[in-house]
Amino acid sequence: MKKILITGGAGFIGSHVVRLFVKKYPEYAIYNLDKLTYAGNLENLTDIEKYPNYHFIKADIVDGNKMFELFQQYQFDGVIHLAAESHVDRSIENPMEFIMTNVVGTVNLLNAARKIWKDSTGKKMFYHVSTDEVYGSLGETGAFTETTPYMPHSPYSASKASSDHFVRAYHDTYGIPIVISNCSNNYGPNQFPEKLIPLFINNIKHQKKLPVYGQGINVRDWLHVEEHATAIDTIFHKGKIGETYNIGGNNEWKNIDLIKKLIEIVDRKLGRPDGTSLSLITYVTDRAGHDLRYAIDASKLKNELGWEPKIKFTEGFETTVEWYLANEKWLENVTSGSYQEYYRKMYDNR
Ligand code: NAD
Ligand code: DAU
């Protein structure tokens, strides 16, 4: 039986990766390691928590000794590393947490793998999940390829870029078998409502202001989270050691256009007259260092490993809105308590 460590499995993308692996590979033992920060939520996994091949470990990747002990105890065959502080706005408020988890935490995992895998690296795989934000910002044309130079602008993207460099360096220096993917913006169920789409669905539902940063002209390339999970599955099993793969949705949207589409869908699903919530749009102070445009050239992944996105955005977007409207309890649970404080801090004086 293969033992796979998935870090950050209680978060948005991690929970979809854990579900896919637990269900698709009953012959693997899946270990979900998560600190359960504000973004980690075991409610995301209630449907698979009783599967015999699923195990949960509550731990902090910043604790290097603990990572070593766990690698020694379980002798993992593979790692899919998603645990991270992931929200750009929080990184602007508190960069240190991002450096600790995203950089130090990643290096702790690499150190544990280096020590425990020293005689058997050929059979192992350390998969580091990263972001397109490491490449910086594009102008009106072009797309990021795997060879685009790194130029991060936020503390979040700088910490992810740094972790990518360490992962590559541990491959080149110590022979750790690694693979890295850099993905564009994900949407779908279970995303914490600090990120644009779930935040705005929740605000439209409650008729609260929609804080659009700057002029709303920034462009993001949106991919359904379940497709990110299938891309990770493909790369984990077929990716070439030492390589990087870009993952994207071929689906660019200007923020303001995406927001208007979201308003149209939410109003329709709640039985409100078309255009009811357009007046909630409120232009607020821009995000510092706000990247103008991201776009991914994912042709390497398509040509070499045969993966490409299949979910049509129009359908994925509708079902995503339906999920948030149907899962009221989930939304209520994650937006109670410290979320209110976060919201006031981020948006009250913007
Ligand atoms: P998320 O914030 O929803 O989840 C992060 C998870 O990591 C949470 O469960 C949290 O509890 C856990 N975690 C945080 N610090 C930890 C620590 N010190 N020790 C152990 N666990 C810890 O994030 P997400 O959006 O699911 O992103 C997952 C990964 O994918 C990240 O590495 C992120 O950089 C990357 N990524 C995200 C996107 C996106 O659009 N969300 C796109 C590309 C790449
Ligand atoms: O590109 C991949 C990245 O996508 C991931 O690495 C990050 O973890 C993930 O958070 C996401 O980063 P973004 O900054 O692009 O996502 P966010 O949802 O925070 O913002 C999307 C766009 O919407 C961005 O241009 C900022 C804007 N925005 C966001 C919020 C929260 C607003 O206009 N208003 C808001 O209130």
Side-chain angles (χ1 to χ4, degrees):
M1 190 184 230
K2 268 198 175 174
K3 294 181 174 182
I4 312 295
L5 173 69
I6 300 181
T7 70
F12 168 47
I13 301 168
S15 62
H16 289 272
V17 176
V18 166
R19 176 174 299 100
L20 176 73
F21 273 68
V22 164
K23 287 187 163 180
K24 187 170 173 187
Y25 301 108
E27 70 278 22
Y28 292 177
I30 303 299
Y31 295 85
N32 169 16
L33 183 155
D34 202 294
K35 181 183 171 183
L36 300 182
T37 66
Y38 77 93
N41 184 356
L42 289 177
E43 265 189 69
N44 293 342
L45 292 164
T46 42
D47 59 322
I48 55 111
E49 69 188 3
K50 298 247 155 51
Y51 278 54
N53 63 336
Y54 172 73
H55 311 274
F56 177 66
I57 302 167
K58 186 171 186 308
D60 184 345
I61 59 170
V62 175
D63 183 345
N65 291 334
K66 183 77 187 170
M67 292 309 107
F68 176 68
E69 276 168 30
L70 290 170
F71 269 71
Q72 198 165 41
Q73 181 181 351
Y74 293 106
Q75 298 288 323
F76 303 118
D77 298 296
V79 177
I80 305 177
H81 174 38
L82 296 110
E85 286 293 335
S86 68
H87 191 38
V88 173
D89 293 331
R90 287 186 193 254
S91 82
I92 295 168
E93 292 296 306
N94 185 5
M96 271 326 280
E97 253 180 74
F98 286 70
I99 294 161
M100 293 312 292
T101 287
N102 299 0
V103 186
V104 177
T106 301
V107 177
N108 281 338
L109 291 167
L110 288 165
N111 281 336
R114 183 185 160 208
K115 282 188 202 147
I116 302 296
W117 289 355
K118 63 178 180 306
D119 299 321
S120 55
T121 47
K123 293 174 233 140
K124 311 291 185 185
M125 173 65 101
F126 189 106
Y127 182 160
H128 178 60
V129 176
S130 193
T131 169
D132 60 357
E133 298 201 12
V134 298
Y135 298 122
S137 185
L138 292 162
E140 299 212 333
T141 57
F144 301 130
T145 71
E146 288 78 1
T147 55
T148 301
Y150 277 27
M151 192 147 331
H153 295 122
S154 72
Y156 163 68
S157 52
S159 69
K160 291 296 290 187
S162 171
S163 65
D164 292 10
H165 290 319
F166 273 106
V167 172
R168 239 174 247 121
Y170 269 59
H171 170 260
D172 297 347
T173 308
Y174 306 114
I176 302 288
I178 65 101
V179 70
I180 300 176
S181 61
N182 296 83
C183 187
S184 62
N185 286 62
N186 286 211
Y187 72 96
N190 308 98
Q191 187 168 32
F192 192 78
E194 62 188 350
K195 310 281 166 61
L196 180 74
I197 291 176
L199 178 88
F200 278 33
I201 293 173
N202 197 33
N203 282 13
I204 297 167
K205 186 175 147 192
H206 293 105
Q207 291 291 285
K208 279 175 74 174
K209 283 199 298 192
L210 303 174
V212 180
Y213 296 165
Q215 298 170 285
I217 54 170
N218 306 71
V219 174
R220 297 292 182 264
D221 171 7
W222 294 95
L223 175 74
H224 196 284
V225 63
E226 286 170 11
E227 304 224 84
H228 191 181
T230 62
I232 288 173
D233 179 21
T234 302
I235 295 167
F236 183 72
H237 289 99
K238 299 207 266 175
K240 215 167 126 201
I241 285 177
E243 291 287 316
T244 291
Y245 298 90
N246 278 357
I247 310 172
N250 297 323
N251 179 39
E252 288 180 53
W253 283 79
K254 200 180 269 186
N255 286 347
I256 192 64
D257 296 336
L258 184 92
I259 290 160
K260 286 181 179 162
K261 182 81 195 147
L262 198 56
I263 289 172
E264 187 257 301
I265 299 174
V266 179
D267 278 346
R268 171 162 44 78
K269 295 214 181 279
L270 291 176
R272 296 173 180 157
D274 192 25
T276 302
S277 302
L278 281 171
S279 60
L280 298 174
I281 291 178
T282 310
Y283 292 94
V284 300
T285 312
D286 207 354
R287 174 185 276 173
H290 197 175
D291 289 328
L292 179 66
R293 177 171 164 262
Y294 304 145
I296 282 278
D297 176 347
S299 53
K300 176 176 174 184
L301 183 53
K302 182 179 172 189
N303 297 337
E304 294 186 11
L305 305 187
W307 181 93
E308 60 182 326
K310 294 194 179 78
I311 298 177
K312 285 204 182 73
F313 185 63
T314 41
E315 284 160 28
F317 212 33
E318 290 263 346
T319 55
T320 296
V321 171
E322 278 164 21
W323 188 88
Y324 286 96
L325 296 180
N327 287 273
E328 242 173 22
K329 195 80 204 128
W330 183 93
L331 206 51
E332 261 172 47
N333 287 350
V334 297
T335 52
S336 61
S338 57
Y339 180 81
Q340 303 297 335
E341 198 186 312
Y342 165 82
Y343 201 93
R344 273 193 296 277
K345 195 168 159 203
M346 285 293 173
Y347 294 104
D348 270 7
N349 298 313
R350 199 157 193 141

